[in-house]
Amino acid sequence: MKMVMAIIKPFKLDDVRQALAEVGMTGVTVTEVKGFGRQKGHTELYRGAEYIVDFLPKTKLEIAVPDEQVERVVEAIVKAAGTGKIGDGKVFVYALDQVIRIRTGELGNDAL
């Protein structure tokens, strides 16, 4: 099993959710986060005063995925979240040692 974590632009969330549903993913955890990478923030005007926004709003997705579906899930996210512009985000895939469904006690892939 793997954990797929993606940091995307907030307005792409619906597109990514739909793409994940099309590849059979039924569960995803979504968190509103702030951060920066190469994009390095930007300058905004508010009531005539200029100020720097260092941390940009992003959306973080976390999806527990069986090994055989990782490539399809990652491909779906990259395709749906991409705009071709700086700040599109990143996808991280890392090992998931154990999953337990609290209600039933099921383990591993059965818990997904």
Side-chain angles (χ1 to χ4, degrees):
M1 294 173 296
K2 303 283 189 231
M3 178 65 77
V4 177
M5 180 178 64
I7 308 295
I8 63 171
K9 290 183 174 184
F11 70 89
K12 294 301 262 176
L13 178 59
D14 286 336
D15 295 339
V16 172
R17 186 199 52 77
Q18 185 175 0
L20 289 171
E22 288 172 8
V23 295
M25 286 294 97
T26 57
V28 60
T29 300
V30 178
T31 310
E32 292 179 9
V33 295
K34 291 183 179 186
F36 70 90
R38 291 184 182 159
Q39 199 173 4
K40 303 231 189 339
H42 62 277
T43 304
E44 288 189 4
L45 271 173
Y46 179 71
R47 295 187 178 187
E50 197 173 271
Y51 68 100
I52 297 172
V53 178
D54 289 331
F55 295 97
L56 300 171
K58 300 288 181 180
T59 300
K60 177 173 145 182
L61 308 174
E62 294 171 296
I63 310 141
V65 181
D67 289 329
E68 61 273 5
Q69 292 182 326
V70 171
E71 284 186 41
R72 290 186 338 178
V73 168
V74 169
E75 184 179 307
I77 294 169
V78 169
K79 200 178 275 189
T83 65
K85 297 182 177 154
I86 193 166
D88 276 352
K90 292 208 173 30
V91 177
F92 305 91
V93 179
Y94 49 96
L96 189 58
D97 292 333
Q98 186 64 275
V99 176
I100 303 163
R101 185 184 308 261
I102 294 173
R103 179 177 54 87
T104 63
E106 292 170 295
L107 302 173
N109 283 342
D110 293 335
L112 297 179

